[in-house]
Amino acid sequence: MTDIILASKSKVRKEILDNHNINSKVEASNVDEDPIKESLLKEGASPEIISKNLAELKANKVSQKINNALVLGADSVI
């Protein structure tokens, strides 16, 4: 099975993948989320849209460093 690259430092997300026998490696995106959140909030974006945008940004950033891999980006709405 191909490993998934998890673009997140979240231990919980890694555990979820491990508990479902999904091989994964962690590669932190190191995205500075605060300015992005602030910008999206100014535009009237919902928490769901903000979360989706952050997840996509994280995955894209890691994908630029790691070619030919499946990268999973994630974010939470609390």
Side-chain angles (χ1 to χ4, degrees), residues 45-65:
S46 68
E48 181 180 345
I49 295 298
I50 294 170
S51 181
K52 286 180 179 181
N53 275 273
L54 287 170
E56 183 177 354
L57 181 63
K58 293 172 191 178
N60 285 336
K61 187 169 180 185
V62 171
S63 292
Q64 291 174 359
K65 295 188 288 184

Side-chain angles (χ1 to χ4, degrees), residues 33-46:
E33 297 181 21
D34 290 334
I36 298 160
K37 287 179 190 177
E38 288 175 23
S39 175
L40 289 169
L41 284 170
K42 284 180 184 176
E43 294 177 15
S46 68

Side-chain angles (χ1 to χ4, degrees), residues 18 31 45-46 48 55 59 68:
D18 290 345
V31 168
S46 68
E48 181 180 345
N68 301 318

Side-chain angles (χ1 to χ4, degrees), residues 19-33:
N19 290 340
H20 288 87
N21 298 319
I22 299 172
N23 296 328
S24 64
K25 296 177 184 175
V26 172
E27 180 70 34
S29 65
N30 297 317
V31 168
D32 185 1
E33 297 181 21

Side-chain angles (χ1 to χ4, degrees), residues 63-74:
S63 292
Q64 291 174 359
K65 295 188 288 184
I66 302 174
N67 296 320
N68 301 318
L70 178 62
V71 177
L72 175 63

